[in-house]
Amino acid sequence: MAGAVFSSDKKNNTLSKNIPTNYGALGTLATVFFFWGFIAAGNNIFIPFCKQYFKLDQFQSQLIDFAFYTAYYLGALLLFAYGSFGGKDLVGKWGYKKSIVYGLLFSAIGAAAMIIAVESNTFSGMLIGLFIVALGFSLQQTAAQPFAISLGDPATGTSRVNLGGGINSFGTTIGPIVVAFALFGTTAAVSDEQIAALSLNKVIILYSSVGALFLIAAAMFFFSKKVPSGIMLEETEKANKALYALLIMTGLLIVMFTPVFQSYKIDLSKAGKDAILNMNAYRMKWLIGALLVVVVVLFTSNLSASKNPYGWGAMKYPQLILGMLAIFVYVGVEVAIGSNLSELLKQPDFGSISSSEAAPYISMYWGSLMIGRWAGAVSAFKLSKQLKLFLQIIIPIVALGIILGVNTIANYNMKPFYYYIVCVAVQIAAFYFSNDKPARTLMIFGLLGVAAMITGILSTGIVSIYAFLSGGLFCSIMWPCIFSLSIAGLGKYTTQGAAFLIMMILGGGIIPPIQGKLADVITIHQSYWVAVICFGYLTFFAIAVKRILYKQGIDFDTSK
């Protein structure tokens, strides 16, 4: 989930020119962008595997996403707390290079913890291992995005971040295929019964390889002379009230999720219908409570900051508060669509596709984000209108061809996806009409996301599958749009605001379990109303933030 981070503060718009891009360092940095996508998308295959092996319900299986994305929030919160109390940015103190090395080593420890948990045959231990892996990712993410911007002319920094996003998306595309092969040992169809009978040694081999790759990448960074240290010793802007608000929110989230997390140990396979309904209502109550905690704390903080801004830092800006919730919702819906997709495809109305057969569908979903991000990267370069339009048409088609080709090489039947080019054509048209305006782009893609999800819910078969897969197309460009709109006009609070936005990756740990629980209550198909609501909020944010920024003298529609 890489996005462009830039400010529209017109007082600081002078950029150093003619700084050569450090391609050696950028090439090394690209490895961590790949890891984020590879592991995150690989979870979509790991989820149905654990569900069958440990006999979990849909909600329990979504605890994998909960553990993974909650780590992003806590990691970013700890970094912000250190800066708030200590007055110095820990990443700046270590430097970008060492921060990424430390993050990779921490992720390697998480891979080792996964192996230990597998040996102990404990699902909770696996969750802890994934949590540690993602905690390392949080440190890497905090350092890698500004690092990419610093590796050359600041005016072209966005293109380097978008390049990282494209590589990240390539990792999400091949991740499900590689993980499926590592777990199932074949590209042929495997029944749920065969999945449940598979040895956990497959997971040991998988995470031994992943851990080794983390160590190799850390060594590449540490010993590379082309990668600068990136040390910054500037004083950070303190925001103690914001820190206290986030700590209160964290405590309340722990209260909300503790009973939910403990309930996964309860075996409902032998329980009666009333007991199952009661447990469903119990879990849903606490999950909705967690969502309300985030919303209430954020808006209460902004209300308090509007009365007395001292000590609130970036949280006094309404565009940031709305943007924090937008990042929360965006990451949540992006992950929820993919994480619940395998279960959806098992239903008779969708072809009764087994978990192993679902790999190319999941690959196409995450590949859809790659299609959009590659197309979006075109705007980062100074091109003629004709060449830009040509590339925005050709690049998505080439990206689609790569996805089809990679899956075909893996011996998957890709004929069901040939007509998916129609969805890609809709996205190409959306790019054309958005005209590189972040608010307009987010509004158009948000509306298309709403339309796609409603179409998927009201239909079945290939039409419904295409509609849900296209959610990836419409999510693809949202991250940089939300980021740029949220930190516009923050000035000296820009870095702090960016850190707050990174924390809201937490949405990937809350929204997927909510959809998973709703699927247990109603059906997996109807649970995608959660995605409709999420895309609806993102559309609202696009409209509301434009008005907020206009009142502050910032008009993105006339900025290009």
Side-chain angles (χ1 to χ4, degrees), residues 63-86:
L63 290 174
I64 291 174
D65 279 334
F66 169 76
F68 192 79
Y69 289 98
T70 300
Y72 273 97
Y73 170 78
L74 291 178
L77 178 61
L78 289 172
L79 290 172
F80 168 62
Y82 179 91
S84 184
F85 284 120

Side-chain angles (χ1 to χ4, degrees), residues 44 47 65 333-342 362 365-366 528:
N44 294 156
I47 284 171
D65 279 334
V333 70
E334 175 190 290
V335 176
I337 292 173
S339 295
N340 289 284
L341 187 60
S342 180
I362 294 171
Y365 171 71
W366 290 105
Y528 275 84

Side-chain angles (χ1 to χ4, degrees), residues 517-548:
K517 188 68 264 163
L518 189 61
D520 291 330
V521 174
I522 48 178
T523 65
I524 186 68
H525 189 190
Q526 295 300 312
S527 73
Y528 275 84
W529 281 109
V530 171
V532 175
I533 295 172
C534 290
F535 279 119
Y537 174 78
L538 292 169
T539 305
F540 161 78
F541 170 74
I543 297 170
V545 76
K546 181 180 177 181
R547 295 176 180 175
I548 291 171

Side-chain angles (χ1 to χ4, degrees), residues 242-547:
L243 176 61
Y244 296 147
L246 290 171
L247 290 176
I248 290 171
M249 184 170 77
T250 303
L252 291 173
L253 286 173
I254 291 173
V255 170
M256 293 294 171
F257 270 102
T258 296
V260 176
F261 187 80
Q262 289 177 339
S263 71
Y264 94 87
K265 300 177 182 178
I266 300 174
D267 184 6
L268 294 177
S269 61
K270 299 179 181 179
K273 183 176 181 180
D274 290 341
I276 294 175
L277 290 174
N278 290 336
M279 180 55 69
N280 286 336
Y282 174 80
R283 287 173 173 170
M284 183 62 76
K285 175 182 68 177
W286 291 106
L287 287 167
I288 297 298
L291 179 61
L292 291 176
V293 163
V294 175
V295 174
V296 171
V297 170
L298 288 181
F299 283 107
T300 301
S301 297
N302 184 247
L303 179 63
S304 178
S306 65
K307 297 177 180 178
N308 181 11
Y310 178 77
W312 282 104
M315 273 194 173
K316 64 186 176 184
Y317 292 93
Q319 64 264 38
L320 179 67
I321 293 296
L322 290 174
M324 289 173 71
L325 189 56
I327 287 289
F328 179 93
V329 167
Y330 156 72
V331 177
V333 70
E334 175 190 290
V335 176
I337 292 173
S339 295
N340 289 284
L341 187 60
S342 180
E343 184 65 21
L344 177 76
L345 295 173
K346 291 180 182 179
Q347 309 309 310
D349 286 342
F350 294 88
S352 300
I353 299 169
S354 68
S355 297
S356 62
E357 292 176 303
Y361 291 85
I362 294 171
S363 177
M364 181 59 73
Y365 171 71
W366 290 105
S368 295
L369 277 89
M370 182 182 78
I371 293 170
R373 287 170 180 170
W374 283 16
V378 173
S379 299
F381 301 93
K382 295 180 179 179
L383 305 170
S384 66
K385 289 185 177 180
Q386 293 80 3
L387 180 57
K388 179 181 173 182
L389 178 60
F390 174 77
L391 291 176
Q392 285 187 330
I393 294 173
I394 294 300
I395 287 179
I397 296 173
V398 171
L400 176 62
I402 290 173
I403 298 166
L404 294 173
V406 168
N407 282 276
T408 299
I409 292 172
N411 292 324
Y412 286 113
N413 177 20
M414 300 306 290
K415 289 183 179 180
F417 302 100
Y418 288 169
Y419 293 104
Y420 191 63
I421 194 171
V422 174
C423 299
V424 175
V426 172
Q427 188 199 51
I428 292 172
F431 271 118
Y432 176 79
F433 288 109
S434 64
N435 197 26
D436 293 337
K437 313 296 184 185
R440 185 190 300 176
T441 300
L442 188 59
M443 181 186 69
I444 291 174
F445 278 67
L447 288 172
L448 287 172
V450 170
M453 296 303 104
I454 292 178
T455 300
I457 293 170
L458 298 180
S459 60
T460 57
I462 195 64
V463 172
S464 182
I465 291 173
Y466 274 20
F468 289 132
L469 291 178
S470 68
L473 293 172
F474 307 132
C475 279
S476 62
I477 202 64
M478 286 183 169
W479 174 280
C481 291
I482 297 169
F483 235 106
S484 61
L485 292 166
S486 301
I487 65 174
L490 266 59
K492 65 181 180 180
Y493 298 102
T494 297
T495 301
Q496 189 181 97
F500 291 157
L501 292 171
I502 293 294
M503 290 180 195
M504 290 298 102
I505 291 176
L506 171 70
I510 293 181
I511 292 179
I514 288 178
Q515 182 174 346
K517 188 68 264 163
L518 189 61
D520 291 330
V521 174
I522 48 178
T523 65
I524 186 68
H525 189 190
Q526 295 300 312
S527 73
Y528 275 84
W529 281 109
V530 171
V532 175
I533 295 172
C534 290
F535 279 119
Y537 174 78
L538 292 169
T539 305
F540 161 78
F541 170 74
I543 297 170
V545 76
K546 181 180 177 181
R547 295 176 180 175

